[in-house]
Amino acid sequence: MREQTVIQGDMARHSSAATAPVVIVGAGHSGVAVAAGLRSRGWEGGILLLEAETETPYERPPLSKELLKPDAPDESAVLRKEKFYQDKNIDRVAGTAVESIDRQGRTVLLSDGTSHTYHRLVIATGSRARDLTVPGAGLAGVQALRTREDALQLKRLLVTGARVAIIGAGYIGLEVAAAAAAKGCEVTVLEFQDRVMSRVTSEPVSRHFEKLHEAHGVRFVFGAAVTAIEGGRRAEGVVTADGSVFPADVVLAGIGVVPNQELAAEAGLECADGILVDDDGRTSDPAIYATGDVTRFTSPVDGASQRLECIQNAQAQADRVAAHITGQPPAVPEIPWFWTVQHGVRLQTAGVRHPEDDVIVRGDPAGRSFSVTYLRDGRLAAVDTIAGLADFRPARKLIATAARMDPALVADRGVPLTDAILDPSDPNDRHRTDPALAAAHI
């Protein structure tokens, strides 16, 4: 049985029409944000936060960015200090997993045999690293990076001279590659596609970061299909489909994540690579909500079905859930945005790029700072900015208002993006500001 920690709030100080609390399963960014949002919106009933990990809920992004740095402390930044939960009368049960949901009885059963009744249930179970399923994947030295424990174990393995093989060239894989190179490791990145970050960005951005990593000694192997991990008790090498063997003392599987939807699926909630939710975060059971990485929803921008793995979406969905439970209007949603830092260079993305979008580069990708914009049917749909905010901030407003853009002016970095707007009533007046722009929410 796992260690259990119980932190009690003084629920007697509150009154509510609901006799049972709002129960939140999962204490990541979204789960904690729901709890905080309920209190800030005046919810006076009970709030119970259930978490499988025993630690105070902590920040996830620093695990692959800050914590792996040579001089970084082992402590993780917490989402909220313990005093917050006490002051806000938020009960926490830590170190115990939720085993099942009884929808008819409105109760959740925990792994220690206890159960809790809920007025409303919020599933914020997040996602987990996708398993590497090749022979040898269970050898010592092979791991993923999703929890603080994962990060600390990886940090101990990244020592000067270690041979590090990273499977997958997404955000996590590349952030770890940068950290390992900074520690003097011999780093090889094995990627099945033909460029890095191919799922989330365009070729100009990919090639820029490939060159950046190569300048720091990182080796890339593209078109690499991993078939096995060699070794006795520990990993010694990574085997690819063409018979190549890449020596490795440390192997990181950075091959994406999968939503932790099993609890919901076993309870009969509708799932499809994520728990299906509506605009208010409700599942197919009106008494149950879901929020964060575990959800799949319809994009209000283009109607696409999507699952977003970012802090901004986790917090935005949490606000909508808290608003709906308390019967209040939610805040105006932000445009989704993401970021990564590799070798000290920051890539910031706003909006969700589609592969068929028109790609327009602003500036020189061979330089230290440039932007890439993505037009969809003539409207700004997404932007990547490398080492600069000059385009990022206005682009978020333009994406929010679906502004129509002049491609020629967008390509000229000497022209501010706000001056590249096409006025919808006069195609020849290319410099008139969209009147909706000033009211756009950032």
Side-chain angles (χ1 to χ4, degrees), residues 145-437:
L145 175 54
R146 196 64 183 168
T147 66
R148 179 175 177 272
E149 184 179 344
D150 292 338
L152 291 177
Q153 182 175 340
L154 183 59
K155 186 177 183 178
R156 291 191 290 269
L157 296 174
L158 297 181
V159 297
T160 301
R163 300 169 301 176
V164 179
I166 297 172
I167 304 171
Y171 280 2
I172 297 296
L174 295 182
E175 288 169 2
V176 173
K183 288 188 171 184
C185 300
E186 180 183 315
V187 184
T188 300
V189 178
L190 306 170
E191 169 56 46
F192 182 74
Q193 301 298 331
D194 62 353
R195 57 186 177 88
V196 305
M197 299 185 290
S198 61
R199 186 173 67 90
V200 297
T201 194
S202 58
E203 186 162 351
V205 178
S206 294
R207 301 309 178 196
H208 177 85
F209 278 90
E210 286 166 21
K211 292 177 181 178
L212 174 66
H213 280 273
E214 289 169 348
H216 286 82
V218 176
R219 175 190 180 190
F220 289 102
V221 180
F222 295 108
V226 173
T227 57
I229 309 297
E230 285 189 340
R233 294 183 177 179
R234 295 192 58 84
E236 297 175 9
V238 179
V239 183
T240 55
D242 63 0
S244 299
V245 179
F246 299 90
D249 309 301
V250 183
V251 179
L252 175 75
I255 53 177
V257 300
V258 293
N260 293 321
Q261 67 182 36
E262 289 80 6
L263 181 67
E266 290 169 4
L269 301 178
E270 293 182 8
C271 299
D273 184 35
I275 305 171
L276 300 182
V277 296
D278 65 12
D279 291 344
D280 296 311
R282 289 178 297 181
T283 68
S284 51
D285 183 329
I288 302 178
Y289 298 76
T291 180
D293 289 7
V294 74
T295 65
R296 176 168 290 276
F297 58 97
T298 300
S299 168
V301 177
D302 57 15
S305 174
Q306 62 185 14
R307 189 168 59 79
L308 295 180
E309 301 154 12
C310 66
I311 300 303
Q312 175 275 328
N313 179 66
Q315 293 174 332
Q317 285 191 314
D319 177 75
R320 298 188 77 82
V321 167
H324 196 265
I325 290 175
T326 57
Q328 300 177 25
V332 178
E334 292 183 332
I335 291 299
W337 57 274
F338 317 80
W339 84 98
T340 178
V341 179
Q342 300 165 27
H343 300 292
V345 177
R346 178 180 289 269
L347 165 63
Q348 291 179 283
T349 299
V352 179
R353 160 190 168 271
H354 289 182
E356 64 273 15
D357 290 343
D358 294 324
V359 178
I360 301 177
V361 178
R362 287 170 58 81
D364 183 6
R368 305 181 74 175
S369 175
F370 69 101
S371 300
V372 178
T373 57
Y374 304 95
L375 301 188
R376 190 175 308 151
D377 298 325
R379 301 181 183 277
L380 188 62
V383 66
D384 288 323
T385 62
I386 290 80
L389 293 175
D391 287 340
F392 185 73
R393 288 172 176 166
R396 289 172 66 187
K397 292 184 178 181
L398 296 171
I399 295 167
T401 57
R404 294 189 63 83
M405 309 297 289
D406 182 327
L409 294 180
V410 170
D412 186 347
R413 203 174 191 192
V415 176
L417 280 176
T418 50
D419 287 346
I421 302 169
L422 286 170
D423 183 78
S425 63
D426 184 1
N428 295 317
D429 185 355
R430 297 181 175 180
H431 301 283
R432 185 179 300 171
T433 301
D434 186 334
L437 183 59

